[in-house]
Amino acid sequence: SQQGEEDPQALSIQEGENATMNCSYKTSINNLQWYRQNSGRGLVHLILIRSNEREKHSGRLRVTLDTSKKSSSLLITASRAADTASYFCATEGGSEKLVFGKGTKLTVNP
Amino acid sequence: DVKVTQSSRYLVKRTGEKVFLECVQDMDHENMFWYRQDPGLGLRLIYFSYDVKMKEKGDIPEGYSVSREKKERFSLILESASTNQTSMYLCASSFSTSGSYEQYFGPGTRLTVT
């Protein structure tokens, strides 16, 4: 059962620009997480935001959560070529399982 | 650092073969997961295990089975491989801390069934 849906599916920007990715979900959650996947590799956890939080920062990452709209956004500021990857949101609703979206493919051009 | 390792990065098998994919984690995590990842479909959960010898079906368990005899090891078994099981297989583990279930992933096994 796919819950998170990322938007856009693909995003291409220039180095130094900001990148914003959105995630929508359908049911109530305990927390929402963002992961990054470099081409052909495993996923790496980036940041977790709990349902009672509205915004969280980690380095160049900023995540927001709007539980009334069932949506989240991931902002990467001052992007670098090394940020080129696919980004996934994942929701956790009270069990050990996460439900992942289909991902946004970000390309940062030098 | 948590380390999750998978037995092979690339694997080529023939239709009908029995295939074993192994996953080992070194952080004493209770939970372990097997996903498959296909273009346009994202990650789909095949099976997960929350303790030794315990397992639960995920969203797409058909054609797969799992084994967890030791806490650190979780095996995915394709009983009779078929071409539609050609995919990237990802293993992950997690430990429940303050109700968060951050997952740690292995590098993936790209399986081709011919």
Side-chain angles (χ1 to χ4, degrees), chain A residues 1 35 37 41-43 97, chain B residues 9 37 48 59 103 105-106:
Chain A
S1 54
Y35 289 78
Q37 183 181 35
R41 308 294 296 182
L43 279 71
K97 293 187 292 183
Chain B
R9 289 283 286 127
Q37 183 177 25
F48 75 100
D59 298 319
Q103 292 189 8
F105 282 81

Side-chain angles (χ1 to χ4, degrees), chain A:
Chain A
S1 54
Q2 218 78 32
Q3 162 133 268
E5 289 289 337
E6 289 90 344
D7 170 59
Q9 291 185 353
L11 180 61
S12 182
I13 60 174
Q14 295 300 121
E15 214 165 19
E17 293 180 342
N18 295 341
T20 299
M21 288 157 270
N22 302 297
C23 170
S24 59
Y25 58 93
K26 296 175 183 171
T27 61
S28 62
I29 61 171
N30 284 349
N31 66 67
L32 185 144
Q33 305 178 29
W34 286 90
Y35 289 78
R36 184 188 73 223
Q37 183 181 35
N38 289 92
S39 180
R41 308 294 296 182
L43 279 71
V44 175
H45 181 265
L46 293 176
I47 195 166
L48 178 151
I49 187 165
R50 300 186 191 283
S51 59
N52 60 355
E53 297 176 310
R54 290 297 166 259
E55 189 171 311
K56 202 161 183 182
H57 296 254
S58 176
R60 293 184 297 113
L61 304 180
R62 172 177 166 252
V63 170
T64 62
L65 179 64
D66 187 335
T67 53
S68 67
K69 295 181 179 178
K70 292 187 169 58
S71 67
S72 173
S73 67
L74 171 68
L75 169 68
I76 304 174
T77 60
S79 63
R80 306 166 181 166
D83 294 327
T84 293
S86 291
Y87 292 82
F88 296 85
C89 67
T91 54
E92 187 268 302
S95 71
E96 297 86 351
K97 293 187 292 183
L98 296 180
V99 180
F100 287 84
K102 297 178 183 178
T104 291
K105 188 171 185 178
L106 173 66
T107 302
V108 181
N109 302 298

